[in-house]
Structures are given as C-alpha cells and as structure tokens.
Amino acid sequence: MSDSIQRSAAVLYQMEEETPGLKESAQALVSDTMLWPALNGTGATREEKEELIRTAPMLAGKEQLTAFVLLLLEQGTLDSLPAILRELRQLELAAQGGAVCVVTCARQPDEATLEDLRRAVCRLRGLERVVLQIKIDPAILGGFRLEVQGVVYDRSVRGRLERLAQGLKGDFDADSEELEGLVEGLKSKIQGFEVEDGSDMGSLVQNLKTRIQDFQSVGEVQEIGRILSVGDGIAQIQGLDRAVYGELVEFETGVQGMVMDLSRNSVGCVLLGQEAGLREGSIVTRTGRPADVPVGEAMLGRVVDALGQPLDGMGPIRTTETRPIEHEASGVISREPVNAPLQTGILAIDAMIPIGRGQRELLIGDRQTGKTAIAVDTILNQKGEDVICIYVAIGQKASSVARVRDTLQKHGAMDYSIIVSATASDPAPLQYIAPYAGAAMGEYFMSQGKDVLIVYDDLSKHAVAYRALSLLLERSPGREAYPGDVFYLHSRLLERSSRLSDELGGGSITALPIIETQAGDVSAYIPTNVISITDGQIYLQSELFFQGQRPAVDVGISVSRVGGDAQTKAMKQVAGNLRLDLASYQELAGFTQFGSDLDEATQKQLTHGARMTELLKQPRYKPFEVGEQIAVLFAGNEGFLDDLEIADVLPFRAELIEYLDNGFGSLLDKVRAKKIDDDTKAELLRVIGDFKQQFMAKHHADTTGSEEN
C-alpha cells in the first residue's frame, strides 16, 4: 500500500472523528452503481465529473468530504478511494491497541519460532500484544524480515549480504515514499467554487492539503487472519487466535461475520452478508466487540434487517446507541410476577387464554391457520396503550413481510412498531441472529421502563436456519438432524422476556413465539422444545379454521399458565365459566348430533353453547377493547343471545358495541376499572335489554318489509 493512501486514510480518519458520518457517505459514493463508474470512466470530461461530485446526494452538506473527493479527482487518484476506505477501517480497528507485524520468511516457521518472535517484538516496541502476518518469500534465502509500526528490522540472509556489500551495519528504517501528487492544489476553477452556505471550497481544499502533508503516521493496531476456505455462508479462518465466540470480524470486502466455532487451528465464522469477492487468503480483521445492533427511539416505524440496517428506503436511521444481540437474561431477583394484562383485542384469547405483560405465550398450529393474524391483531390493539411492538420475520416471503407492514401502516400501528426482517432469500446467518436482534431492540425499551411486545414469526424456520449453520460447521447432528444445543437456542432467547421489578423501572418484554406444525404434530422435536419453555400455548386447529371458526383457537387444549392473574376483575368475573360452558357444549354436541329427542335442559345448553361459540368469531384487524369484550360476554352469559338466530349473533354484537360506545361510555369505564357490582350489573341488564328491544324491532321490521315486498 502506498504512503499516499495511508496518509489520506489517516486524514479522513481525523475528519470522521470531527464530523461523524463522512465514512458512510464516502462508502455510499463508492457503492453507487451508476455514479461511481461514471466518475472513473472515460465517457465524461473532467468538468462533468466535478459537477457530478458537487451535486452527488450522498455528499450534500459535507464540504470537507466533497473537497477531499475533488482533490483525488484532480490528481487522477480517485480510483484509490476504495483502498483509502479499507485503510480507514484498519485505522479504526487499530485504535483498540496492539500492532500488526509482517514477518517475511523463506519458509513457514513453526509455532515455537513465531511465539519467540511475538515476545521479541513486544519487548522491542513496548507493545502488549502483537499479531503476526506471515509472508513466504524464498528470495530472502533465510532468516526473517520484520515490518512493524512503519519500521523494518531485516535479519534475513539476503539483507545481511547486501549490507555487507554496501558497508552498512545495523537496522534501517523503511524508506517512506513522498506524497507527491496528492498535496498539489486544485486548479483555479475548484478553488473559486463557492458552496451554498458561503464557505470557500478552495480554503477547505488548501486546509486538507496541509493536513495530509503534515500528517505524522501513527502506529496501527489490528489483529488479522486469513481465510482458509469459504462457501455456503461459512468461512474458516486461520490466525485469529484470540477471537471469542460471538465476536464480530470484518473481511476485506467490508462484509462482517460472526464467530461461531472455535477450534485449535482455525475459527469458524458465519458471514453476515454476501461472500462475493472473498477467497482463500483474503484478510480478516478482529473488531474486538460482540455482534450488536443499533437501538433507540429512531428505530420506531422502520423496517430493518437483522443487522439493524434500513430496508424501507426511508434513509439512514439516526441513532448512536447499540446493544449486543446476545445478552444474559434478567435474574430471578430482578423480576416481578406477571399480573398486568396485555390485551390482544381477540375475545376468545382475552377471555379464556389471557396473556400478561412479561409472559411467553406460544402460538402453534399448522400452516395457514391464522397464527400471524393473531399476532398482527395483537399489535394493532396496542394503539394508545404505550406498548412498543417488534415483529421479527424469520424465513418469510418478502411479500408477506410487506403485507404485514402495509397492514400496520394502514391502521397507524407503525408509529410504535419495528419490523425486523430476515426473509427466506437472506443468508441463514441473518435468519439465525434476527430474533436475538429483535430481543436486543426490545431490551433497550424495557430498560427505559416501557412495555414491549415481540412476535417471533416463526421459530421453526429459525431452528432450520441454525441447523443449516451447524451442519456446515460440521457439528454433530442429533434428533431430526438438529444439533444438541437447539433447545438452548430458544431457551436463552425466550428467557429474555420478563417483567422487571419497580426498582429497575418496571418495564417488560412479552413474547409471542410462533411455531408451525406439520399435520398437527406437536410431538415433533422443535414444538416439544418450545412448549416446555413457554408459559402457555394457543393451539390453532385446521379443522376449526375450515369450519369457519376464526380465530381457530382450540379452547380445550389451549392454556395460559398465568391465567386469571392477567385479567381485569370484571373480565375474570364474566369469563370464569366460559371455558367450561364451551367444553360442555362440544361434548353434548358430539353425543347428540344423531339424536332428535332431547330434554329441555339439554336443548337449552346446546342453544346457549352454539351462540357463545358464534359470539367468539372475530374478523381480522378488528380487535375489541376490553370494556367492549366484557359487555358482550356479559350479554351472552345473561342469556340475551339464546333466543336469537345464529345468523343474528354477530350483527347483535356489532350493533351492541356501537350502541355502548356512542351513548354509554361511562358504563364501559366502570367495567374496565373494577369488578361488576350489583349496581353496575343492574345498569348493564337495563341498557342491554333496551338495546335488544330496539334490535329485535328493527330486525322484525326488516323481515316484515322484505316479506311484503
């Protein structure tokens, strides 16, 4: 690498410290598939290229960077900008301490020799650690040649012979190539250019030239290795002896990777991007930090990938905070019991399978049974409830994720939501880290004392992605070819969901993991694992779905281990016997479906059960507020539905809710706030009775009119 590139990178590094964001803008310029080729091609004149640089959108408002690029253009070295950016990344890594020593040998040295060289260089340069980069050059005949921190120590046979011939003794410093073209000024046209804010571009360029000319090289700090093999999203790396599990590494193409396998002679790394441009021998650099994602309020309303990078075309995300994707779950002492409800807006769930804030409630069922619909409805119902919602799409079609986003946008739910997308077309490593990235984003808000809802859609595909990675890393397969630690995979994820104590802010994370079954087989490996981890399960049956029961919740086997603790007093009061009534109805219906002579009590029970079952049907994207739910369940329990036709139950419910919302808001406030006492019960009976009379009169009038016509 030329000295001019090193000096330019060093100055750009200092500029980045003074004005953050320049590196990203420069990278955006290099990555632009239309602008960058035009600047480096022969189809445009110098003046046209200058105009392209001045008007480039990624350089807008960044006068120093614009001057920097114009300087490179004038000197004919604009094509070196990618190399400057690579050197800049090395400088950023070097800021962590240590140094790289390039060792040139005639043949590959053994480990003992390398260790001796490390200790010697540390003593010689006063370093705490040294990373050796080995180069084999038979032309040096023997011995070795060291290059560290810009200084060369030549102990090769060839070097000694040359010094003997020239009468030289001792070590010599490597000659530094003078920075010739880069320190020349821009021509009068560029120097006279005035930017919109009135600053003189010429002065900026002159200042930049001075900084480059006067810059003094500093020692570099980096620990590097080289790729042994790469393919299928996996890279085996040699030389990163101090790498730790879960650490981020950076490849020379700018792609990042995460360490997932540690062995004696190599490090297994999964690529968090495309492997194009990577080959055997490519350089890999340690970052010294665990894999992390950006977090903060700026993430709300955005669609991001598993690395937190925007996918929605709405520009960069302005946030400065990050959190590691892997984080230890809160301990027992720091947790509070789950006793605050998180309303889904779905009548069947809130009444019989309540979900509390901090709970882990599994949604399980076959494909196309409404699992995602329940999750989306739950997100929609959090509007105005001060709950942050995170939807993590794992292995879904991109069109499905877009449909969820459009639904949330249409109903105003994106204002408090984040979508983390790792679609089926994304590499398996991104699908693997996606739920952990979502959990990290949620933990940020939980630490601020806020309530968070996370939907993992779905963990079946997450397990498949992990299985693919594990097999490529040559880990031993077990049941269904999954590695033995797949249980730990999901347990450490879901255990991060909790409700914190008041001393820690009282925030919570509620998890709704989704598992897809095959032909209703809940005894498969992944379903049984996740069932044992969660605090309850909502089973969705294909048969109920095809029968028109939406949501297709099997209330007989669905369960919430939190139970009534996650319900308001009034909801617990009206829903207490609902599950038993429905179970009795289903049993009676099975015994009497072929009978015709039924006693009055049995017929009454069947009539009541059929209408309560119909009452629980609910369309998509129509969540009910808790007061509305209590009112309609109260009406059902008190027998207001028993003399209605089945077809009239849902219209009765819809019109009753509208009737109460428009004229009896205070009554709904009462049932939301406290238990239904005798006075409130009497008022409910009176109001619902009056409404039923109106409903029946309207219904009878409509029927009579249609018959007369």
Side-chain angles (χ1 to χ4, degrees):
M1 181 178 299
S2 69
D3 190 43
S4 63
I5 292 177
Q6 293 178 338
R7 289 176 176 267
S8 299
V11 172
L12 188 57
Y13 177 74
Q14 292 183 348
M15 292 166 58
E16 173 70 18
E17 290 184 331
E18 298 168 1
T19 310
L22 298 184
K23 180 185 65 174
E24 288 76 10
S25 299
Q27 189 61 55
L29 177 64
V30 173
S31 303
D32 195 303
T33 57
M34 298 182 63
L35 183 57
W36 184 247
L39 293 175
N40 288 276
T42 58
T45 65
R46 175 65 59 82
E47 290 76 12
E48 290 173 339
K49 292 180 180 180
E50 292 172 358
E51 184 63 25
L52 288 174
I53 293 173
R54 297 190 189 105
T55 58
M58 66 285 296
L59 302 180
K62 299 177 173 60
E63 291 83 5
Q64 283 189 316
L65 182 59
T66 303
F68 186 87
V69 178
L70 287 172
L71 181 60
L72 295 180
L73 176 66
E74 183 67 19
Q75 301 305 321
T77 57
L78 184 58
D79 58 349
S80 67
L81 184 55
I84 293 173
L85 291 175
R86 288 195 295 270
E87 180 66 14
L88 175 60
R89 288 196 294 269
Q90 298 298 330
L91 290 176
E92 292 175 335
L93 296 170
Q96 303 173 19
V100 175
C101 178
V102 180
V103 182
T104 305
C105 304
R107 62 190 62 84
Q108 180 67 38
D110 56 30
E111 287 296 328
T113 301
L114 293 177
E115 186 60 32
D116 292 339
L117 286 174
R118 285 193 188 94
R119 289 195 294 266
V121 174
C122 286
R123 291 194 303 268
L124 187 65
R125 304 298 300 178
L127 300 172
E128 294 184 0
R129 62 174 182 152
V130 170
V131 177
L132 301 182
Q133 179 182 345
I134 309 301
K135 290 184 178 181
I136 305 301
D137 185 8
I140 70 171
L141 303 178
F144 56 86
R145 188 171 183 267
L146 305 179
E147 301 178 39
V148 57
Q149 294 182 323
V151 180
V152 176
Y153 300 93
D154 196 343
R155 293 291 184 268
S156 67
V157 174
R158 183 182 181 118
R160 292 179 180 181
L161 292 175
E162 290 177 349
R163 290 196 301 274
L164 181 63
Q166 299 174 18
L168 300 176
K169 299 179 180 180
D171 298 331
F172 65 96
D173 291 342
D175 293 331
S176 303
E177 185 179 323
E178 293 292 332
L179 193 62
E180 297 179 354
L182 201 57
V183 299
E184 297 295 328
L186 296 175
K187 304 305 180 185
S188 57
K189 178 173 57 177
I190 299 178
Q191 291 176 341
F193 174 72
E194 298 288 335
V195 296
E196 293 182 359
D197 63 356
S199 61
D200 188 350
M201 182 63 74
S203 63
L204 289 174
V205 172
Q206 188 61 40
N207 179 265
L208 183 61
K209 290 190 298 181
T210 303
R211 293 177 65 177
I212 293 176
Q213 190 173 19
D214 297 339
F215 177 78
Q216 300 295 322
S217 298
V218 297
E220 300 182 5
V221 180
Q222 55 184 359
E223 185 171 344
I224 63 174
R226 292 189 179 273
I227 296 179
L228 293 175
S229 63
V230 60
D232 297 321
I234 303 294
Q236 294 292 335
I237 304 168
Q238 184 183 40
L240 300 184
D241 299 336
R242 300 187 181 184
V244 298
Y245 188 90
E247 180 182 356
L248 276 182
V249 297
E250 186 169 2
F251 297 85
E252 62 181 26
T253 60
V255 173
Q256 292 184 324
M258 185 172 69
V259 176
M260 285 193 62
D261 193 63
L262 301 174
S263 61
R264 180 180 294 273
N265 299 318
S266 65
V267 171
C269 176
V270 297
L271 301 179
L272 303 178
Q274 302 299 324
E275 61 186 58
L278 299 179
R279 60 186 61 85
E280 183 180 353
S282 297
I283 294 176
V284 189
T285 310
R286 284 188 63 193
T287 66
R289 59 185 178 88
D292 55 14
V293 291
V295 298
E297 300 285 344
M299 304 293 293
L300 296 176
R302 304 303 299 271
V303 181
V304 300
D305 63 13
L307 300 176
Q309 302 303 312
L311 298 174
D312 48 14
M314 297 171 59
I317 299 176
R318 305 296 181 183
T319 181
T320 58
E321 295 190 59
T322 62
R323 288 184 69 95
I325 63 171
E326 294 274 12
H327 189 267
E328 187 176 356
S330 302
V332 176
I333 304 301
S334 60
R335 302 188 181 213
E336 285 287 328
V338 177
N339 52 25
L342 186 137
Q343 306 291 345
T344 67
I346 301 173
L347 187 58
I349 295 177
D350 290 343
M352 295 180 289
I353 321 160
I355 300 173
R357 302 194 178 192
Q359 188 176 347
R360 301 158 296 181
E361 185 76 12
L362 174 64
L363 296 173
I364 185 170
D366 287 358
R367 185 174 178 271
Q368 296 293 328
T369 53
K371 301 183 297 296
T372 301
I374 290 177
V376 172
D377 282 347
T378 304
I379 294 175
L380 297 181
N381 196 56
Q382 305 314 309
K383 189 173 184 178
E385 298 294 329
D386 196 25
V387 176
I388 305 298
C389 300
I390 302 174
Y391 178 82
V392 184
I394 312 165
Q396 307 294 318
K397 295 184 294 184
S399 59
S400 300
V401 180
R403 186 160 51 251
V404 171
R405 192 253 186 191
D406 291 342
T407 300
L408 298 181
Q409 190 75 45
K410 178 182 177 182
H411 292 84
M414 282 301 295
D415 296 338
Y416 54 86
S417 300
I418 306 170
I419 296 178
V420 182
S421 175
T423 62
S425 60
D426 289 326
L430 292 181
Q431 297 183 43
Y432 164 70
I433 69 172
Y436 299 104
M441 297 175 190
E443 285 174 334
Y444 167 81
F445 293 104
M446 181 175 67
S447 66
Q448 306 296 316
K450 298 184 178 181
D451 295 310
V452 182
L453 170 67
I454 304 182
V455 177
Y456 301 111
D457 190 8
D458 65 66
L459 294 187
S460 302
K461 296 182 177 65
H462 180 234
V464 170
Y466 182 65
R467 176 172 63 184
L469 292 180
S470 298
L471 293 177
L472 290 170
L473 290 169
E474 300 182 356
R475 296 179 179 176
S476 300
R479 179 179 168 185
E480 299 181 19
Y482 289 103
D485 62 340
V486 71
F487 177 85
Y488 179 62
L489 179 78
H490 291 149
S491 64
R492 73 174 189 263
L493 170 67
L494 296 177
E495 194 64 23
R496 295 164 74 172
S497 302
S498 63
R499 184 184 177 198
L500 298 180
S501 62
D502 294 336
E503 290 78 8
L504 297 176
S508 69
I509 292 181
T510 306
L512 289 182
I514 296 176
I515 289 290
E516 182 179 302
T517 57
Q518 305 292 329
D521 183 16
V522 297
S523 64
Y525 192 28
I526 301 303
T528 54
N529 281 348
V530 182
I531 287 173
S532 66
I533 300 169
T534 51
D535 304 317
Q537 301 83 42
I538 298 174
Y539 290 90
L540 302 179
Q541 293 284 3
S542 301
E543 294 80 3
L544 294 175
F545 186 86
F546 297 141
Q547 292 171 11
Q549 188 70 32
R550 314 286 175 80
V553 178
D554 190 333
V555 297
I557 58 176
S558 298
V559 64
S560 171
R561 296 192 179 104
V562 176
D565 291 342
Q567 288 179 314
T568 65
K569 293 182 178 180
M571 176 62 82
K572 187 187 300 186
Q573 191 176 357
V574 299
N577 296 324
L578 182 58
R579 183 190 290 268
L580 181 60
D581 291 345
L582 292 179
S584 301
Y585 161 71
Q586 292 172 357
E587 185 176 359
L588 281 176
F591 280 115
T592 60
Q593 60 181 330
F594 301 110
S596 59
D597 188 14
L598 302 176
D599 61 86
E600 184 179 350
T602 302
Q603 186 62 56
K604 184 178 179 181
Q605 192 171 357
L606 287 172
T607 300
H608 179 74
R611 281 144 185 80
M612 294 301 291
T613 300
E614 185 73 13
L615 183 67
L616 297 179
K617 293 182 179 180
Q618 192 169 338
R620 296 184 67 178
Y621 316 137
K622 295 289 185 181
F624 296 147
E625 187 270 328
V626 62
E628 298 169 349
Q629 295 182 19
I630 294 171
V632 298
L633 287 174
F634 179 86
N637 291 338
E638 296 298 326
F640 285 100
L641 308 178
D642 292 353
D643 57 347
L644 297 179
E645 297 293 333
I646 293 290
D648 291 335
V649 173
L650 295 183
F652 180 90
R653 182 185 69 184
E655 294 181 25
L656 174 61
I657 291 175
E658 184 179 2
Y659 180 77
L660 293 173
D661 287 339
N662 292 335
F664 299 92
S666 60
L667 179 59
L668 292 178
D669 290 338
K670 288 181 183 179
V671 300
R672 294 188 196 105
K674 61 181 182 178
K675 187 177 181 180
I676 301 175
D677 54 23
D678 293 340
D679 293 339
T680 305
K681 180 177 181 181
E683 188 176 358
L684 280 171
L685 291 173
R686 178 182 60 79
V687 171
I688 297 174
D690 293 342
F691 166 76
K692 185 176 180 181
Q693 290 180 0
Q694 299 176 23
F695 179 84
M696 296 300 292
K698 177 178 179 294
H699 178 76
H700 180 72
D702 292 344
T703 304
T704 303
S706 62
E707 290 176 352
E708 291 176 353
N709 292 331

